[in-house]
Amino acid sequence: MFYALIGRDHPGTLEARLAARPAHLERLHALQAEGRLLLAGPLPAIDSHDPGPAGFVGSLVVAEFESLEAARAWADADPYVAAGVYAGVEIHPFRKVLPA
């Protein structure tokens, strides 16, 4: 089943986010290589593709996991969690409808 993982950044953690980004992306590339990643990306703090110093308010990952517990374990091991970027991560089951 797919799960939506919504990580919410602590304010003022842009520098920590940028430092942890390569390790974060490495894990996403691994999901993609396994055919389990539907989509992933950051949530800019302002209405801009490149928010600059305004940074981000979080991230969205939609990926396939065996269970809610497996999705939680994957999220808990994220480099953004270890770096103190995320204040928390919400996880919800996700049912893809479109595009078919």
Side-chain angles (χ1 to χ4, degrees):
M1 174 168 219
F2 284 110
Y3 293 87
L5 291 71
I6 306 163
R8 303 285 182 183
D9 289 13
H10 283 289
T13 56
L14 179 58
E15 198 170 299
R17 173 184 265 274
L18 296 175
R21 187 171 188 263
H24 172 78
L25 289 176
E26 185 177 320
R27 296 178 80 236
L28 291 171
H29 286 298
L31 282 179
Q32 184 178 25
E34 295 167 4
R36 297 171 43 205
L37 183 65
L38 186 61
L39 63 89
L43 305 171
I46 60 173
D47 189 10
S48 175
H49 179 75
D50 180 2
F56 302 91
V57 297
S59 302
L60 171 65
V61 174
V62 180
E64 188 174 22
F65 294 94
E66 291 181 15
S67 64
L68 181 61
E69 293 78 18
R72 170 59 59 197
W74 190 90
D76 288 346
D78 194 286
Y80 285 169
V81 172
V85 174
Y86 286 160
V89 179
E90 296 176 35
I91 302 175
H92 302 278
F94 179 83
R95 189 176 66 138
K96 182 179 181 270
V97 175
L98 295 172

